[in-house]
């Protein structure tokens, strides 16, 4: 048994791991088998993380955080959590490989998952022209015409990035104004390769083996048009990843895990939550990192209040079991 298991390896999870490891809690970080490092692994340059005057590539930032956590004694497992039992004094975390890990405290920092349009053929053509990750798939679309769906910062960032490869990038947005920040809007508006299609929804995705186009529905007059495309990047936000804790942890009206005030305490003692999974509003790498700090300090405080026999039990056994 461990003192602490951290589920998630984005800025929240790794920052919690750095703090907890420095506090000698020897945390186990469950980092996911595929999506370890969180959303920043899929971004390019991060220009707004303090301390990096010239910016830093998202994957580099995450690798640095991981190494920093390991340097202080965090252990990282690359597997997916398949179930959690969070009630009671000893928490259980089951992994895809069947291993069951126990701990006295859990920090839940699973982030959020990309939203889908929810239309026919979106899943079938995923990886065949439909993508949620410009940095992963952008290079497949050299000299092609492609589109990005969405009106937020993600859509602007993806569209701007994709102009490195594509000849033309349409931004398809369901309203007539964008939600994205002024700076990111301006960058996209000023890019000659980007054309905005406002008041349009993607109603169909066409293509047998590969995407060949989309059917657009005009949200004002209801008319339908077809647009020939080789790729469709979906950047319409994300939803908190809470499916494993439904029925165990209370959620907010936004679907995020409910925490007590500015703390990371959930409705279950010994269970803390941090990062995008508790944050419907800010969702920045820096705020997630700060949230991970809060969770580590809360967990540390909680563990310090537990009976010595329990802590001894958690620290006496080999940490890999
Ligand atoms: P947002 O929730 O901010 O925006 C989602 C966009 O997708 C909105 O324009 C929304 O439309 C649209 N949308 C949602 N659902 C659908 C749907 N079913 N069909 C069509 N369109 C849809 O998400 P983002 O991922 O853009 O940003 C999330 C957070 O991350 C924000 O806080 C953002 O600032 C931050 N971020 C910051 C970056 C940076 O600073 N470098 C980069 C990327 C993200 P509508 O406007 O009509 O609701």
């Amino acid at each position: 048994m461990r003192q602490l298991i951290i589920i998630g390896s984005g800025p929240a999870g790794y920052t919690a791991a750095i703090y907890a490891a420095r506090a000698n809690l020897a945390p186990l970080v469950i980092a996911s088998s595929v999506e370890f490092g969180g959303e920043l692994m899929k971004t390019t340059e991060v220009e707004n993380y303090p301390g990096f005057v010239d910016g830093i590539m998202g994957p580099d930032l995450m690798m640095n955080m991981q190494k920093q956590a390991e340097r202080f004694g965090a252990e990282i497992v690359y597997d997916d959590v398949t179930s959690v039992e969070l009630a009671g004094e000893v928490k259980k975390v089951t992994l895809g490989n069947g291993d069951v890990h126990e701990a006295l405290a859990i920090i839940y920092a699973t982030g959020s998952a990309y939203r889908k349009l929810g239309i026919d053929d979106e899943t079938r053509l995923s990886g065949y022209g439909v993508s949620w990750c410009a940095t992963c798939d952008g290079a497949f679309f050299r000299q092609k015409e492609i589109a990005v769906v969405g009106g937020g910062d993600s859509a602007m960032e993806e569209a701007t990035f994709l102009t490195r490869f594509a000849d033309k990038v349409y931004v398809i947005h369901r309203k007539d104004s964008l939600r994205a920040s002024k700076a990111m809007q301006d960058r996209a508006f000023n890019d000659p390769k980007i054309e905005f299609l406002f008041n349009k929804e993607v109603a169909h995705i066409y293509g047998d083996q590969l995407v060949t186009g989309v059917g657009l529905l005009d949200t004002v007059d209801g008319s339908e048009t077809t647009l020939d495309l080789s790729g469709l990047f979906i950047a319409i936000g994300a939803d908190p990843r809470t499916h494993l804790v439904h029925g165990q942890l209370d959620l907010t009206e936004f679907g995020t895990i409910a925490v007590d005030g500015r703390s990371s305490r959930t409705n279950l003692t010994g269970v803390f939550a941090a990062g995008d999974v508790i944050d419907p509003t800010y969702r920045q790498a820096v705020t997630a990192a700060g949230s991970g700090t809060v969770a580590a300090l809360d967990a540390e405080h909680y563990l310090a209040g537990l009976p010595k026999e329990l802590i001894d039990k958690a620290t006496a056994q080999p940490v890999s079991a």
Side-chain angles (χ1 to χ4, degrees):
M1 183 167 64
R2 301 257 175 178
Q3 291 198 70
L4 176 65
I5 292 176
I6 297 166
I7 303 174
S9 57
Y14 277 148
T15 307
I18 292 165
Y19 272 74
R22 286 193 78 237
N24 281 336
L25 298 179
L28 180 69
V29 180
I30 315 291
S32 161
S33 60
V34 182
E35 298 204 353
F36 52 87
E39 296 304 312
L40 285 188
M41 296 299 279
K42 298 173 191 157
T43 60
T44 48
E45 201 157 351
V46 180
E47 292 179 331
N48 52 10
Y49 201 91
F52 297 94
V53 182
D54 300 317
I56 180 168
M57 298 304 281
D60 292 342
L61 180 61
M62 295 322 298
M63 294 311 287
N64 286 351
M65 286 194 200
Q66 180 200 315
K67 284 187 204 144
Q68 200 175 349
E70 285 177 313
R71 182 182 146 213
F72 294 114
E75 191 184 329
I76 297 166
V77 168
Y78 298 94
D79 203 347
D80 299 310
V81 175
T82 54
S83 68
V84 288
E85 289 172 42
L86 301 175
E89 205 160 53
V90 175
K91 326 290 181 192
K92 283 190 184 165
V93 177
T94 304
L95 304 186
N97 66 6
D99 285 357
V100 179
H101 294 273
E102 293 183 338
L104 296 173
I106 299 283
I107 292 176
Y108 207 80
T110 48
S112 51
Y114 292 129
R115 254 179 226 146
K116 293 189 164 187
L117 293 168
I119 56 175
D120 287 350
D121 298 323
E122 182 181 21
T123 305
R124 181 177 65 82
L125 289 167
S126 167
Y128 298 92
V130 174
S131 172
W132 282 261
C133 178
T135 46
C136 314
D137 299 329
F140 297 124
F141 297 93
R142 283 179 205 281
Q143 285 145 22
K144 307 272 191 209
E145 298 211 346
I146 59 177
V148 175
V149 193
D153 281 337
S154 297
M156 297 311 108
E157 190 174 67
E158 302 264 284
T160 305
F161 175 75
L162 286 166
T163 58
R164 293 183 193 191
F165 310 104
D167 279 349
K168 173 130 198 166
V169 180
Y170 294 96
V171 173
I172 302 168
H173 182 42
R174 62 186 179 185
K175 290 190 184 141
D176 64 0
S177 61
L178 300 169
R179 181 192 288 252
S181 61
K182 174 101 177 47
M184 297 188 73
Q185 287 194 28
D186 286 348
R187 194 180 300 180
F189 282 139
N190 290 327
D191 194 316
K193 281 188 173 179
I194 297 178
E195 180 178 335
F196 283 83
L197 300 175
F198 286 110
N199 297 319
K200 299 272 189 267
E201 266 177 15
V202 178
H204 303 283
I205 306 175
Y206 300 118
D208 189 7
Q209 306 290 326
L210 295 169
V211 169
T212 55
V214 292
L216 298 177
L217 177 73
D218 191 293
T219 55
V220 178
D221 62 19
S223 61
E224 290 190 32
T225 46
T226 303
L227 181 66
D228 291 341
L229 294 172
S230 304
L232 184 70
F233 287 80
I234 300 168
I236 58 171
D239 293 312
R241 275 201 196 91
T242 55
H243 58 287
L244 292 176
V245 299
H246 289 176
Q248 299 189 65
L249 297 183
D250 290 346
L251 302 182
T252 67
E253 61 180 297
F254 306 108
T256 48
I257 293 175
V259 290
D260 182 14
R262 295 184 63 206
S263 82
S264 64
R265 289 189 298 273
T266 68
N267 57 303
L268 292 179
T269 48
V271 182
F272 307 88
D276 281 7
V277 81
I278 66 166
D279 178 7
T281 314
Y282 301 105
R283 294 164 52 195
Q284 302 296 301
V286 188
T287 51
S291 172
T293 307
V294 170
L297 296 175
D298 285 344
E300 193 184 337
H301 187 248
Y302 168 76
L303 290 163
L306 290 181
K308 188 174 173 307
E309 312 84 74
L310 258 182
I311 298 293
D312 286 348
K313 239 171 121 182
T315 47
Q317 294 178 14
V319 284
S320 55

